[in-house]
Amino acid sequence: MSDSTEATALDITNETCPMTFVRTRLALDVLAKGHLLRVTLKGEEPLRNVTRSAQALGHTVLATENGPDNRHTLTIRKN
């Protein structure tokens, strides 16, 4: 991925905690600094945990979009 404005997509709607953040962290680990990851997840607990964990690792959550069926999409910038 050459343009940091393009986002890599990760769908973890079928995962449960703690695997939601494990999958997110693995995806972030392979991205270059400044690149974006769009994580689609399902439920309030994964939303809280992935957001908190990404921020604790120093990444920036740029946006949270709420969708149907308790699905959410986080846009995370790798720092």
Side-chain angles (χ1 to χ4, degrees):
M1 185 164 64
S2 61
D3 183 356
S4 64
T5 61
E6 293 179 26
T8 299
L10 176 64
D11 183 342
I12 56 171
T13 54
N14 292 323
E15 300 287 344
T16 58
C17 291
M19 288 306 295
T20 52
F21 187 67
V22 170
R23 297 266 323 271
T24 302
R25 184 168 185 175
L26 290 172
L28 285 165
D29 285 349
V30 299
L31 291 179
K33 183 177 179 180
H35 284 238
L36 303 178
L37 179 65
R38 286 182 53 86
V39 181
T40 302
L41 47 84
K42 188 171 185 178
E44 296 302 317
E45 182 181 11
L47 176 63
R48 282 190 309 273
N49 291 341
V50 171
T51 299
R52 182 183 61 232
S53 298
Q55 291 171 332
L57 289 173
H59 305 298
T60 304
V61 177
L62 298 175
T64 303
E65 301 168 34
N66 299 318
D69 300 325
N70 204 22
R71 291 176 188 254
H72 311 279
T73 301
L74 297 174
T75 303
I76 303 169
R77 174 177 290 131
K78 180 174 180 175
N79 292 331

